[in-house]
Amino acid sequence: MKVFEPTCTFPSEAPSGFVDDANLRSTMDVVWSCLSIIFLSTCRYICSAGRWGWMGIMLVFPEYLVGTSATNLFSAWINTPHLKELVDQDGVPWTLSHTILAELGGIAIRFSDASQQPSLHAQTIPDFLRSFQKNQSSYLQNLGDIPWEPYKPHVLLAANAPTKPDLPPRLVNNYRANHIAPLHGNIWILDSYQLILARRLGVVGQLPYIRAEEIADRSKTDGIVRLIAAIQVLWLAVQLVVRRVHDIPFTALEISTVAFSSCAFIIYLIEWHKPKDISLPIYLDTSAVVTPDVFSQIADAVPVVFLQARHYYMPQSGFHLVHQDRFARKHLDQLMVVMTMVAIVLFAGIHLFVWDSHFPTPTERLLWRIAAITMAVAPISSAVLVSLESVLFQRTLYMSVGSVAVLTPIYLASRMFIMVESFRSLYFMPPEAFIATWTSNAPHVG
């Protein structure tokens, strides 16, 4: 491997005076400055229990997280006025942060007489509920004592709960697993829309009294990490502008990092007021007797889940529904599609800034162009198909599953090439790419 080791002159006498940096940067300077930005942008997932999978999604498909974050913020914003109408009657404080807390699973309804319930016989539990319990126990077995347990009145309601009349037969099992099964226990963890229904239908007598300071105290948001991440991203952006103005080459890795950090920055802005990593919910005790009609309404309002199996707690993947007045499910589908497409165009478009930059071979330059365009076209094609299905048929299952199955391998292959080529091309950069600018003296990590 070819290695160039620069030599610099030292001051010839003391005192040395002010010694400036050498007018160059090393390959590892580029690598560490870019990796530090990527780490700071994803450490919110690394520091969360069970979030390694989400860190991977953030690295591979940050556009998806932009879409879901924007859609969930919109849902919380729409549901907050409806909740404020109820809390005005209850005399408790409520803000957008309270609604977001509910969306995160931070408010749990606990049926207080569950300990006095008669024992359940295995034959009274349907197969889909037993399967739910088995999968949940296997997933949560290393997380200590779980307060959730089957609750006989709710087991009977779940066993006899009807599915939607217009639901295709092949989707019945999916509906039971995601909508009905999570509600057959003694603890219901409801999002904001379900909480509205629970309050109006008498499942709870009033909404919980939660001070804003209590939400902030439970949140594990690290403002210092956010500040360092913002400074690092700003430093890289300024450096690339300076290099472009002075016609100094920059690397493909720096462009890839800017593309990634732009999506991370949008997510940071969207989730600025979102509590982070609420590990213990606030319990709201009730002894209400749930009727079949109320059970069905709460089940119908379950969040739309993606990429994960459903358990009794709030899913982290998907989006939450809104209290239906001006907005319906199709509007949320469309909003998610639009926001994801905007992020896709931004993410893929930034990679096109190195369209005519230096690459090891002309073939690799052509492959980079194809990969960047594919990263834009493949997800947009999937989003358009999902949107059409939502508008025409009021569902998204078939196109979301089908398009993901077909286009995901193509997208991942393009992303993998971009990632590998970003590092490989560093070895073949022209000497001018290692000229340092005044930005190297600015505060940054790397």
Side-chain angles (χ1 to χ4, degrees), residues 141-394:
Q141 62 182 347
N142 296 321
L143 299 181
D145 294 333
I146 305 300
W148 183 95
E149 61 180 356
Y151 182 39
K152 186 173 182 179
H154 296 168
V155 171
L156 298 177
L157 288 171
N160 297 287
T163 58
K164 290 184 177 181
D166 58 342
L167 198 65
R170 67 178 65 181
L171 300 182
V172 169
N173 289 337
N174 180 274
Y175 181 88
R176 286 174 174 168
N178 291 318
H179 289 251
I180 298 175
L183 299 178
H184 82 280
N186 64 316
I187 294 176
W188 284 3
I189 297 184
L190 308 181
D191 69 358
S192 61
Y193 179 33
Q194 292 176 300
L195 200 58
I196 293 171
L197 294 176
R199 173 63 179 83
R200 289 182 173 174
L201 297 173
V203 177
V204 293
Q206 70 172 32
L207 294 174
Y209 186 96
I210 309 172
R211 295 179 297 109
E213 295 81 5
E214 186 176 357
I215 298 176
D217 185 61
R218 286 171 173 262
S219 174
K220 299 178 180 63
T221 300
D222 193 335
I224 298 298
V225 173
R226 286 183 173 185
L227 178 62
I228 295 175
I231 292 174
Q232 189 75 348
V233 171
L234 179 62
W235 171 82
L236 179 59
V238 171
Q239 179 186 202
L240 294 182
V241 170
V242 171
R243 300 183 77 84
R244 172 65 78 178
V245 169
H246 293 282
D247 198 26
I248 303 174
F250 44 74
T251 67
L253 179 60
E254 290 171 303
I255 288 297
S256 293
T257 303
V258 168
F260 173 81
S261 61
S262 63
C263 289
F265 186 71
I266 293 173
I267 295 173
Y268 269 124
L269 291 179
I270 293 173
E271 298 185 349
W272 190 260
H273 296 289
K274 178 180 177 180
K276 298 295 186 297
D277 303 330
I278 303 296
S279 55
L280 292 175
I282 296 171
Y283 286 101
L284 187 60
D285 290 319
T286 181
S287 57
V289 177
V290 179
T291 66
D293 179 63
V294 170
F295 188 91
S296 295
Q297 290 190 56
I298 298 291
D300 284 340
V302 162
V304 179
V305 181
F306 302 122
L307 304 176
Q308 66 180 127
R310 185 66 205 273
H311 304 301
Y312 85 94
Y313 53 83
M314 190 62 61
Q316 299 300 315
S317 173
F319 60 82
H320 302 271
L321 303 181
V322 297
H323 184 72
Q324 295 183 3
D325 43 17
R326 295 175 299 165
F327 301 99
R329 161 70 187 274
K330 66 178 181 180
H331 297 115
L332 297 179
D333 291 336
Q334 293 162 8
L335 175 62
M336 183 170 177
V337 167
V338 169
M339 290 304 301
T340 303
M341 290 174 67
V342 169
I344 287 168
V345 171
L346 175 66
F347 184 74
I350 290 176
H351 284 92
L352 296 177
F353 275 95
V354 291
W355 185 273
D356 290 322
S357 295
H358 182 85
F359 284 90
T361 65
T363 300
E364 288 174 78
R365 180 188 294 112
L366 176 62
L367 290 175
W368 179 282
R369 296 173 179 176
I370 294 174
I373 293 173
T374 300
M375 287 194 304
V377 172
I380 288 178
S381 301
S382 177
V384 170
L385 292 174
V386 172
S387 183
L388 287 174
E389 183 183 23
S390 174
V391 172
L392 297 177
F393 304 105
Q394 303 298 306

Side-chain angles (χ1 to χ4, degrees), residues 84-96:
K84 282 186 175 181
E85 292 178 7
L86 298 173
V87 299
D88 288 343
Q89 304 171 22
D90 299 339
V92 299
W94 201 271
T95 64
L96 178 63

